[in-house]
Amino acid sequence: VIAKTRFMVLVEEWVINNLTLQIEKWQKKGLNPLVCLNLSHAFLNAPQFIDTIKRLAKKKLHNICFEVNLAKLSGKSKDYIPLLQYLKNHGFKLALDEFGAGAIQFKILQQIPFDILKLDKETIQLLESSPKVTEQLSSVHSKTKPFLPLRPM
């Protein structure tokens, strides 16, 4: 419900601030886990987005993986390429959430070096039940390896 309100940006800002504090505590203990955080369409468009990323980059909190769902960006995923490249240029990891849901253009996958592809539930079910789909996805992966490395989580 909150994702569809103007408060989403405030919630994400609060989550990032608290995540920052937690990561700093972990680092003091010698821990450096990869932490994934979904970014909403609203936060990607918020005026404070760039300032927040700059603040995280200054603190050297590069063990954050930002997840985006290009299928939910209302058909304007190419408009987000500069923002996603900005994240990568500042040392953060990127995950493509719900890969397989909706139409993702492979051209965009070439332009944004995602570190992680998270398959959507239906794609996973298809992979489990259909050797043909598994074969097709393997074929896509073999053709995209140079710019889209996949690894198990």
Side-chain angles (χ1 to χ4, degrees):
V1 173
I2 200 161
K4 296 182 180 184
T5 70
R6 60 187 170 99
F7 296 111
M8 188 63 204
V9 172
L10 297 174
V11 170
E12 280 184 89
E13 192 70 35
W14 180 85
V15 168
I16 288 172
N17 288 335
N18 283 284
L19 178 63
T20 300
L21 295 172
Q22 184 60 54
I23 289 173
E24 289 171 340
K25 287 178 187 177
W26 286 332
Q27 287 177 339
K28 286 178 183 173
K29 292 181 177 183
L31 303 171
N32 200 22
L34 179 65
V35 180
C36 294
L37 176 67
N38 270 302
L39 291 179
S40 70
H41 171 77
F43 192 66
L44 284 168
N45 289 304
Q48 68 264 42
F49 173 74
I50 297 295
D51 289 337
T52 299
I53 299 309
K54 285 180 181 177
R55 182 173 42 85
L56 293 174
K58 280 183 186 175
K59 291 186 173 205
K60 307 265 190 248
L61 299 177
H62 300 295
N63 55 325
I64 298 175
C65 178
F66 291 105
E67 296 181 17
V68 292
N69 185 330
L70 295 180
K72 290 186 179 175
L73 296 179
S74 57
K76 297 183 179 183
S77 54
K78 68 178 184 290
D79 295 343
Y80 292 90
I81 291 172
L83 288 174
L84 298 174
Q85 287 175 332
Y86 184 85
L87 290 169
K88 285 297 292 183
N89 292 342
H90 282 79
F92 298 101
K93 300 210 179 320
L94 288 177
L96 178 56
D97 200 10
E98 295 190 35
F99 183 72
I104 302 295
Q105 296 176 0
F106 283 96
K107 184 176 182 180
I108 289 172
L109 294 178
Q110 283 183 302
Q111 295 170 335
I112 304 169
F114 285 100
D115 299 288
I116 301 168
L117 289 182
K118 294 176 65 183
L119 301 177
D120 77 307
K121 184 178 177 180
E122 288 179 20
T123 302
I124 291 171
Q125 289 171 343
L126 279 171
L127 287 170
E128 291 173 342
S129 64
S130 171
K132 180 78 173 161
V133 173
T134 304
E135 181 183 319
Q136 290 170 337
L137 188 59
S138 294
S139 175
V140 167
H141 177 242
S142 69
K143 292 174 184 161
T144 59
K145 262 192 241 183
F147 61 89
L148 190 63
L150 297 179
R151 66 184 195 289
M153 293 277 303

